């Protein structure tokens, strides 16, 4: 039985364009947190692809909705403001950010924290993300199902590929978040 769905943030729910990523890097050099939050640059710098619809569809299916984000450049407190400004935070029940939790994906503890917050057993949850290693392997290692989000074009918040020596096979692959309700419906049966 499927009771919960959770999402990766960067390159899954939110995508940066190359131009925006370069601008953000310049801003980070001058104290990203104070500049971006006080002047609103981050709010205008994000491109959202079907994120709102995917979250609403998950809620319509009576699923708990969660999010895990590795926060290399932007801390969880700022990301909560970004999600709120885009009208997404009210659609997410549990948010786990690596800088607040103390460990990153693919570590099991971050997936454990998510499932605990959602009140779901690991086998009752599915994780949606763009990284085979951090998202799919991490979710599988924690006992969750995983959907690989593989859009035709990607932004700049992509972890570099490396040879991890693992054969990682997602439970499903989608190319747009608009395909997610169909896949979740199939998993729910």
């Amino acid at each position: 039985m499927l009771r919960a769905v959770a999402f990766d943030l960067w390159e899954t729910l939110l995508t940066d364009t190359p131009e925006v990523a370069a601008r953000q890097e310049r801003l980070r050099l001058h104290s990203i947190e104070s500049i971006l939050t006080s002047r609103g640059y981050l709010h205008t710098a994000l491109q959202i692809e079907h994120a709102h619809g995917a979250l609403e569809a998950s809620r319509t299916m009576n699923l708990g909705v969660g999010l895990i984000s590795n926060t290399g450049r932007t801390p969880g407190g700022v990301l909560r403001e970004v999600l709120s400004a885009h009208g997404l935070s009210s659609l997410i029940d549990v948010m786990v950010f690596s800088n607040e939790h103390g460990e990153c994906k693919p570590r099991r503890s971050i997936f454990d924290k998510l499932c605990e917050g959602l009140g779901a057993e690991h086998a009752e949850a599915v994780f949606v993300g763009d990284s085979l290693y951090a998202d799919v392997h991490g979710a599988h290692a924690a006992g969750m199902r995983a959907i690989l989000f593989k859009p035709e074009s990607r932004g700049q918040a992509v972890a570099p590929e490396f040879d991890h020596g693992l054969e990682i096979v997602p439970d499903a692959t989608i190319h747009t978040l608009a395909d997610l309700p169909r896949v979740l419906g199939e998993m729910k049966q």
Side-chain angles (χ1 to χ4, degrees):
M1 177 168 141
L2 187 63
R3 293 185 54 212
V5 60
F7 297 85
D8 170 53
L9 181 59
W10 296 115
E11 299 307 321
T12 301
L13 290 182
L14 301 179
T15 300
D16 285 343
T17 64
E19 298 80 16
V20 168
R23 184 170 61 227
Q24 286 178 333
E25 186 61 28
R26 286 191 304 271
L27 291 174
R28 281 185 191 94
L29 296 174
H30 296 95
S31 184
I32 185 173
E33 294 167 74
S34 63
I35 292 173
L36 292 179
T37 56
S38 69
R39 297 187 185 172
Y41 286 115
L42 189 58
H43 299 274
T44 61
L46 298 171
Q47 175 186 356
I48 300 175
E49 295 183 4
H50 306 297
H52 199 271
L55 295 173
E56 282 187 333
S58 300
R59 285 221 178 263
T60 300
M61 297 174 83
N62 294 317
L63 297 174
V65 178
L67 176 131
I68 299 175
S69 181
N70 287 351
T71 54
R73 298 182 285 183
T74 310
V78 173
L79 294 175
R80 280 187 180 81
E81 290 180 28
V82 171
L83 290 165
S84 179
H86 287 292
L88 298 175
S89 62
S90 63
L91 299 171
I92 302 170
D93 301 310
V94 176
M95 296 183 211
V96 184
F97 297 101
S98 62
N99 71 300
E100 297 168 353
H101 176 68
E103 289 191 312
C104 298
K105 295 178 293 176
R107 293 295 195 102
R108 181 182 175 118
S109 70
I110 201 163
F111 291 96
D112 290 346
K113 180 78 172 174
L114 172 81
C115 288
E116 178 185 317
L118 290 171
E121 297 295 323
H122 293 75
E124 299 172 323
V126 62
F127 191 78
V128 181
D130 69 303
S131 169
L132 267 176
Y133 183 68
D135 299 328
V136 175
H137 171 69
H140 281 168
M144 298 170 66
R145 287 180 276 180
I147 299 171
L148 178 65
F149 177 59
K150 192 173 181 181
E152 289 184 25
S153 64
R154 296 177 61 155
Q156 299 297 303
V158 178
E161 293 292 326
F162 67 97
D163 183 10
H164 43 65
L166 302 170
E167 181 179 344
I168 303 169
V169 179
D171 295 282
T173 300
I174 59 174
H175 300 285
T176 174
L177 289 177
D179 294 334
L180 185 62
R182 176 187 53 79
V183 173
L184 290 176
E186 293 168 1
M187 287 183 162
K188 217 174 165 183
Q189 296 176 356

